[in-house]
Amino acid sequence: MQAKSRLYTVVILILFTGIGLILYKHLMLGFPLIPDDKKFVWTIEAKIDFQAQGDPVIVSLALPPKEPHLTFMEEDFASSDYGFSELVSDNERRGQWSKRAAQGAQTAYYRLSVYENDKVVEIPPSDTPEQPKKPELDEVFLTASLTLLEKVRARSANPEIFTRELIQTLNSTSPNQNQRLLRNDKAGEDYKTQLILDLLALEGISARVVRGLFLEDGRRRQSLTNFVEIHDGNQWILFNQDTGKSGKPKNFLIWQRGGQSLLDVVGGKNSQVSFSIIKNTHSTRNLVVNSSLNKQATVIDFSIYSLPIEQQNAFKMILLLPIGALVVVIMRILVGIRTSGTFMPILIALALIQTTLITGIVIFLIVVSTGLLIRSYLSRLNLLLVARISAVIIVVITIIASISIISHKLGLSQALTVTFFPMIILAWTIERMSVLWEEDGPREVLIQGGGSLLTAVIAYIFMTNRTVEYLTFNFPELMLVNLSLILILGQYTGYRLTELYRFHSMGKHHVSDKL
């Protein structure tokens, strides 16, 4: 009983360790569970143009903040003969280009590739708000503002509702005199943003401008869109300044938070920045692996992905072996299929993967049947075991070489892969079947040979499944789950399916006798 308890404890530990590692890679690192999972990668290019005047030049551009749900793949800073540095201060990133002297039209580029990584928890901005400063307004403008605020205040219960009502009132299709005065329809987007910030400051609500890009494929010469973000005392809430709708829109990349300028150019004039966007589709698995390797994630850094490509390809085949082992255990312990050797079916399945199913079965039957005929002749020579098996190995090699040559002459390219069959195992199988033939007759040879081939075909079906291949290579932790299942099955001592079928007639007779 103690041995069983220890076994179950070990099995549970192994099982939960394997499942835990799989969930960690899927939920935290972003590894997909299906092979065809794709992600959109957005490449955004910011182009800075200005006229230099022959003086030293310093160009400063706000860079997008790194957020938990976004993964920055690549950041490139291109400019001709300019020095570059990235400055980080107060949760803000800025890129700075500099040159001792420049004259005429100048251009600098910033390129970013980004994709959403499906993090489980998205952490909102947690920086504390500054105390709002009341703006200096002339008397007429101040009176109109206070009148509007009083009207909006009566229809709101908290800062979030107040902001939404304020934005919707300012964007009303039938504005009154105060609204027309405040919003100045001839003014641009920046004016509206500053107006909303001033009105919120008069109400004592901390707010700031948020600039970002709507990610749409094929867009060129785009400018940033302004949003307004308020702090309700607990968290920051983003608002569309045209509709009053709260929350970050889908496919909206936040580029800058706060009122600092987007672009500063010292030593130049007529500066402007424009954005171009293009969308590409990439394999999620490749994106996650590259991102994790770049970040030197421990689980990935000490894994198969850190090996050279040649070794990774070898492990793709090796990691399929536990799947074949589980199939053999199920077929032998639960189903009751008899096979020639314990894991001979796995080796046959590996050979079938290389040769394709039908071709592999035909080659296997030809080699084994021919080998049995020759082995029956060798048994009459009264050879010792070692010499007999060695002779069978040579015969197997001769058969395989003959099949390859004949296939080549006939133009059957698939049969050329016959060399992938494990020759030593085939020779030993021929020897075992020959001895079995002599001791138990041809019927037992057919049962065990057919059972080996059937088990190998079932293992082949599972081992060549795209999803199984993907999961075994990208989640090698599945071996722990596989191991726990095999340990549990190793304790099974009940009837096998073949035995239930074999004795089902006895059950019928037993019932009829009772009746």
Side-chain angles (χ1 to χ4, degrees):
M1 189 67 183
Q2 290 182 350
K4 278 196 172 183
S5 299
R6 286 196 295 269
L7 174 65
Y8 292 146
T9 302
V10 171
V11 167
I12 290 172
L13 287 174
I14 294 174
L15 181 64
F16 279 95
T17 301
I19 294 175
L21 288 172
I22 291 170
L23 291 177
Y24 172 78
K25 289 179 71 173
H26 174 59
L27 298 177
M28 302 306 296
L29 297 182
F31 276 79
L33 294 175
I34 54 177
D36 296 323
D37 193 72
K38 305 287 185 182
K39 277 194 178 297
F40 293 130
V41 176
W42 299 94
T43 301
I44 304 107
E45 182 182 80
K47 180 183 179 183
I48 305 169
D49 294 304
F50 63 96
Q51 289 288 332
Q53 300 173 304
D55 300 322
V57 175
I58 299 176
V59 179
S60 176
L61 174 70
L63 303 181
K66 295 184 178 180
E67 301 185 35
H69 70 288
L70 293 177
T71 297
F72 286 15
M73 288 178 57
E74 297 177 352
E75 282 187 288
D76 295 324
F77 308 89
S79 55
S80 178
D81 299 329
Y82 275 78
F84 177 82
S85 58
E86 182 179 342
L87 308 178
V88 180
S89 62
D90 297 331
N91 297 322
E92 184 182 23
R93 300 192 309 138
R94 297 189 74 87
Q96 186 179 86
W97 292 263
S98 59
K99 192 174 184 179
R100 174 65 64 182
Q103 182 70 46
Q106 303 290 310
T107 303
Y109 293 94
Y110 166 71
R111 187 178 293 111
L112 167 68
S113 294
V114 64
Y115 68 91
E116 292 190 16
N117 55 28
D118 299 328
K119 287 287 187 182
V120 179
V121 179
E122 180 178 340
I123 304 174
S126 58
D127 48 317
T128 55
E130 297 181 359
Q131 193 66 25
K133 297 179 181 180
K134 293 189 176 182
E136 297 181 0
L137 306 174
D138 60 58
E139 187 174 350
V140 175
F141 207 87
L142 179 61
T143 302
S145 299
L146 294 176
T147 303
L148 177 64
L149 292 175
E150 184 177 357
K151 182 180 178 181
V152 172
R153 192 183 304 117
R155 301 197 303 266
S156 62
N158 55 47
E160 181 179 356
I161 298 175
F162 180 90
T163 305
R164 182 169 60 247
E165 290 292 331
L166 175 62
I167 294 174
Q168 291 177 350
T169 301
L170 285 175
N171 288 283
S172 173
T173 54
S174 55
N176 58 30
Q177 186 175 357
N178 286 333
Q179 293 168 7
R180 282 196 297 270
L181 172 66
L182 291 173
R183 71 186 195 184
N184 187 5
D185 292 335
K186 295 182 180 180
E189 185 179 18
D190 290 337
Y191 173 85
K192 182 192 287 188
T193 305
Q194 190 58 49
L195 172 62
I196 295 173
L197 294 177
D198 289 342
L199 293 174
L200 291 172
L202 288 173
E203 188 63 19
I205 298 175
S206 298
R208 63 188 178 189
V209 61
V210 172
R211 301 182 179 94
L213 279 172
F214 282 99
L215 300 179
E216 299 177 9
D217 189 25
R219 302 300 297 269
R220 300 178 59 195
R221 297 188 177 278
Q222 298 298 298
S223 57
L224 299 183
T225 302
N226 289 355
F227 275 63
V228 172
E229 195 171 43
I230 70 155
H231 198 277
D232 65 353
N234 298 313
Q235 62 179 344
W236 288 99
I237 304 174
L238 192 67
F239 285 90
N240 187 319
Q241 68 176 26
D242 295 324
T243 64
K245 186 177 181 180
S246 61
K248 188 169 83 73
K250 186 179 180 180
N251 290 338
F252 182 75
L253 174 67
I254 294 177
W255 195 276
Q256 184 186 27
R257 282 187 168 97
Q260 189 172 350
S261 61
L262 172 66
L263 175 66
D264 289 328
V265 177
V266 177
K269 62 180 182 178
N270 300 328
S271 61
Q272 61 178 0
V273 58
S274 60
F275 299 86
S276 300
I277 306 168
I278 191 171
K279 179 176 71 172
N280 294 299
T281 304
H282 291 261
S283 166
T284 303
R285 178 259 180 198
N286 293 340
L287 293 175
V288 173
V289 171
N290 292 334
S291 174
S292 301
L293 286 174
N294 291 337
K295 294 178 181 177
Q296 295 184 334
T298 304
V299 174
I300 305 301
D301 200 31
F302 290 92
S303 70
I304 294 171
Y305 303 117
S306 61
L307 296 175
I309 298 299
E310 184 178 356
Q311 279 71 33
Q312 289 190 37
N313 289 329
F315 269 101
K316 279 187 177 181
M317 186 67 68
I318 293 172
L319 291 172
L320 290 172
L321 292 177
I323 302 298
L326 181 60
V327 171
V328 171
V329 169
I330 292 173
M331 295 298 290
R332 288 186 61 122
I333 296 178
L334 297 184
V335 181
I337 297 293
R338 282 179 282 176
T339 61
S340 178
T342 307
F343 292 109
M344 175 65 184
I346 302 177
L347 298 175
I348 298 175
L350 287 175
L352 294 178
I353 292 174
Q354 301 294 335
T355 60
T356 70
L357 183 60
I358 302 301
T359 304
I361 291 175
V362 171
I363 293 172
F364 175 78
L365 293 175
I366 292 174
V367 173
V368 172
S369 58
T370 308
L372 281 173
L373 291 174
I374 297 174
R375 167 61 179 80
S376 65
Y377 171 74
L378 293 175
S379 64
R380 300 174 187 174
L381 302 178
N382 297 322
L383 299 176
L384 295 175
L385 177 64
V386 175
R388 193 168 62 238
I389 293 177
S390 300
V392 172
I393 290 174
I394 295 172
V395 169
V396 168
I397 294 173
T398 304
I399 296 170
I400 289 176
S402 301
I403 293 174
S404 297
I405 294 170
I406 294 171
S407 302
H408 176 66
K409 294 298 182 180
L410 295 177
L412 302 175
S413 59
Q414 286 185 330
L416 294 176
T417 56
V418 67
T419 53
F420 285 104
F421 270 102
M423 298 179 190
I424 304 298
I425 299 300
L426 280 177
W428 185 249
T429 300
I430 292 170
E431 175 66 22
R432 284 175 58 90
M433 287 185 176
S434 180
V435 173
L436 192 64
W437 189 303
E438 295 173 354
E439 294 178 353
D440 298 325
R443 183 175 180 273
E444 189 63 25
V445 171
L446 291 175
I447 290 174
Q448 291 194 16
S452 297
L453 197 56
L454 174 62
T455 305
V457 170
I458 295 174
Y460 165 85
I461 293 172
F462 280 96
M463 293 165 71
T464 54
N465 182 274
R466 283 194 70 245
T467 302
V468 173
E469 287 181 322
Y470 170 81
L471 290 175
T472 53
F473 181 72
N474 293 282
F475 295 91
E477 301 80 15
L478 275 173
M479 286 191 296
L480 298 177
V481 179
N482 215 338
L483 175 60
S484 64
L485 293 176
I486 291 174
L487 292 176
I488 289 294
L489 290 173
Q491 289 286 303
Y492 181 75
T493 56
Y495 287 106
R496 297 172 174 87
L497 292 179
T498 53
E499 292 173 340
L500 291 175
Y501 176 76
R502 180 181 173 189
F503 298 122
H504 79 287
S505 59
M506 294 179 61
K508 290 181 180 179
H509 291 311
H510 183 66
V511 172
S512 62
D513 290 342
K514 284 187 175 182
L515 294 175

